[in-house]
Amino acid sequence: MRTERDRAAHEGGPGGGPVRRPEAGDDDRTPAPLPFTVDPTIPEHGVTHPVADLSATTLTPWQAGVGVVAPYDFALDRELWRWTPDDVSLLITRLPYVRIPVTVDQAAALSRGKRVTKAVRALTAPEPLAVGYACASGSFVHGAHGERELRTTMLAAGAPAAVTTSGALINALRALETDRIAVVTPYVDSVTDRLLDYLAEHDVGVTSSVGLGLLSHIWRVTYAEVARAVHEVDRPDAQAVFISCTNVLTYDIIAPLERELGKPVIAANQVTMWDLLRAAGHQPVAHGQRLVDATAPSAV
């Protein structure tokens, strides 16, 4: 015959309630099994630590890599990551520091062959699938010929595939079948003029342009300032608007601006990551951005 104690143990506890958890001094009770195994070989100060069992069939996900060569003052690493899919790692290095404001001289210094070669070689050890030069002014400052030389330098330094921001811009415009744009830059006029000359070499017409005239700390430009400049520069005959400089934040405002203007809005970081990831056989991650959506495999 069951005792009251036996019935409580069988039915849960006195009155059918839950069984009381073992407490210190309950030597006559058997502790409940732990939800994990304990590895006694990992002591720390005399205390053992639980080690979760991993399934023998768990597979390590493949992780590809793409390299990015950025200017010394680049401050938007996180923005580049937002276009990057989960199975790709960004391998970022910076060009040597030069004490020059954001002028034509700075752009020329950032594109010097020896500096670019050294940066690309620093990225080759983890075997990236492609390498991108993430600087708009540094890749357009010497025109179309200078951009081609920059890619040749990167390939000679060991990049399996080479992309530049300004080269990616032209590829993006072609993908969107666009050859007449409005341009927003953070630069002084002398740098903006180099961009307009570069676009003209590729038969891209510019309906209008706005430069913010900044010589430093471009990464501090706000979304509101960029949006105002985009609305100011847009014209009915502009097929798209381009926001230059990889140090300008744009990820969150591209899609809203496109909805407001009814046309593509493309940006330096966007085209760089779009072209770089495509060169590596991957698709960028974005939310309602026309360039990414129009060139997705399903769209094509």
Side-chain angles (χ1 to χ4, degrees):
M1 184 175 70
R2 291 184 184 178
T3 65
E4 195 65 34
R5 180 174 178 176
D6 293 331
R7 187 178 298 109
H10 176 74
E11 297 176 355
V19 175
R20 182 171 60 89
R21 291 183 176 275
E23 297 177 356
D26 286 349
D27 298 329
D28 60 334
R29 293 179 181 267
T30 302
L34 295 172
F36 43 72
T37 61
V38 173
D39 187 344
T41 66
I42 313 180
E44 182 176 343
H45 305 297
V47 179
T48 58
H49 294 270
V51 178
D53 283 326
L54 293 177
S55 169
T57 61
T58 298
L59 298 177
T60 301
W62 170 251
Q63 190 76 169
V66 293
V68 174
V69 175
Y72 63 89
D73 65 342
F74 183 67
L76 306 182
D77 301 55
R78 177 68 188 119
E79 168 135 310
L80 299 187
W81 274 102
R82 298 184 72 182
W83 276 286
T84 308
D86 288 342
D87 59 347
V88 176
S89 288
L90 289 185
L91 315 170
I92 302 179
T93 192
R94 282 167 171 72
L95 293 162
Y97 174 71
V98 289
R99 194 179 295 275
I100 303 175
V102 183
T103 59
V104 168
D105 289 340
Q106 186 213 48
L110 292 173
S111 63
R112 287 177 186 162
K114 289 183 179 179
R115 290 175 174 172
V116 174
T117 294
K118 185 176 180 180
V120 172
R121 285 177 177 168
L123 291 170
T124 58
E127 301 178 350
L129 299 177
V131 176
Y133 176 87
C135 179
S137 61
S139 53
F140 66 60
V141 66
H142 295 306
H145 175 72
E147 191 277 330
R148 288 192 297 270
E149 280 197 337
L150 191 55
R151 280 187 282 118
T152 299
T153 297
M154 295 167 69
L155 293 170
V163 167
T164 73
T165 298
S166 297
L169 166 61
I170 300 304
N171 292 339
L173 293 175
R174 289 172 178 165
L176 293 169
E177 299 181 348
T178 299
D179 62 4
R180 190 164 180 79
I181 66 173
V183 172
V184 172
T185 85
Y187 315 129
V188 295
D189 290 345
S190 58
V191 180
T192 299
D193 289 344
R194 293 290 182 105
L195 171 57
L196 304 186
D197 291 344
Y198 172 80
L199 289 168
E201 288 187 82
H202 289 281
D203 298 320
V204 177
V206 177
T207 61
S208 55
S209 64
V210 169
L212 301 181
L214 300 179
L215 290 170
S216 65
H217 296 88
I218 290 174
W219 66 87
R220 294 181 180 173
V221 175
T222 65
Y223 279 158
E225 291 174 293
V226 176
R228 281 196 298 269
V230 167
H231 280 283
E232 177 185 343
V233 81
D234 183 38
R235 299 289 184 276
D237 57 340
Q239 299 169 320
V241 178
F242 172 59
I243 305 165
S244 191
C245 190
T246 56
N247 240 350
V248 175
L249 278 168
T250 54
Y251 186 93
D252 292 308
I253 60 174
I254 290 173
L257 284 169
E258 288 180 328
R259 291 193 296 269
E260 291 175 5
L261 301 183
K263 63 185 66 175
V265 174
I266 56 179
N269 281 330
Q270 181 201 41
V271 299
T272 303
M273 293 306 298
W274 169 79
D275 213 15
L276 176 60
L277 288 165
R278 283 163 59 87
H282 289 264
Q283 182 70 10
V285 177
H287 307 287
Q289 297 178 10
R290 293 197 185 190
L291 173 62
V292 176
D293 291 344
T295 56
S298 58
V300 175

